[in-house]
Amino acid sequence: MLTICWERASRVLAPVIAAVCNASFQQLTFSCRCIERHCPTTAKEAHDGPEVLNDLTSYRPISNLSFLSKIVQKVVDSRLSEHIKRHHLLPVRQSHYRPFHSTETAVVSIHNHMIAVVDQGHIDALVLLDLSSAFDTVDHSNLMGVLRRRFGVDGNALSWVAEFLSNRR
């Protein structure tokens, strides 16, 4: 049986992964050319396969990106999230994609607001919109505009995102 020393493995792998992330940011590319020599697919290409839900007659296709692609995306996510948090760029009541904010806190807030409106003798309306799968249909040029205008992403960071969004499979 092979025993892996995680501490030793992390000391060896962490600098390599950091170098890949930094190279991606410095070269303004998401393709990770240094990885592609050893792998027939690019960082943007997902491997499709079935995901069995209950039995073999009930499945849906899933797409798996490479491990390093996921790591680079996670680094970008954490950097963008920190930027958004530091500059208070999200609406106060937005719950999605925020730590310590949940569906329950959003529901309690809405419920409290509606009770207050009714107590004042007014009528309130609630419109719910589910955007959970909307990213696949987002116009990338609009997304780039929002990142630039609303979130202050510009320069090399915006160029990297533009390259990240291009030619995805």
Side-chain angles (χ1 to χ4, degrees), residues 29-168:
T29 182
F30 187 66
S31 63
C32 300
R33 299 253 181 248
C34 59
I35 303 305
E36 290 177 16
R37 286 187 300 229
H38 308 292
C39 180
T41 61
T42 68
K44 293 182 185 182
E45 187 173 295
H47 304 283
D48 292 330
E51 177 183 311
V52 177
L53 298 177
N54 294 326
D55 56 35
L56 293 178
T57 61
S58 175
Y59 72 94
R60 62 184 171 102
I62 59 168
S63 296
N64 292 315
L65 289 170
S66 73
F67 170 76
L68 282 171
S69 296
K70 290 179 181 182
I71 294 290
V72 173
Q73 287 180 39
K74 187 66 177 169
V75 169
V76 170
D77 176 52
S78 67
R79 288 181 179 184
L80 182 59
S81 295
E82 180 57 34
H83 169 76
I84 289 169
K85 180 181 174 184
R86 184 179 329 116
H87 297 288
H88 309 285
L89 297 173
L90 288 179
V92 175
R93 300 210 186 276
Q94 179 172 332
S95 294
H96 204 57
Y97 303 116
R98 295 177 84 174
F100 311 113
H101 292 75
S102 67
T103 305
E104 291 84 6
T105 56
V107 168
V108 168
S109 176
I110 290 169
H111 184 260
N112 186 50
H113 171 78
M114 294 190 84
I115 288 174
V117 168
V118 170
D119 285 347
Q120 294 172 0
H122 299 289
I123 297 173
D124 205 358
L126 175 64
V127 176
L128 301 173
L129 179 63
D130 181 10
L131 298 174
S132 58
S133 62
F135 183 76
D136 295 336
T137 60
V138 168
D139 180 71
H140 291 169
S141 61
N142 286 343
L143 176 61
M144 297 294 293
V146 168
L147 284 172
R148 187 173 69 317
R149 287 186 309 275
R150 180 155 180 235
F151 294 102
V153 177
D154 61 6
N156 287 346
L158 192 63
S159 297
W160 186 92
V161 173
E163 201 285 326
F164 170 81
L165 293 172
S166 69
N167 301 318
R168 299 199 61 83

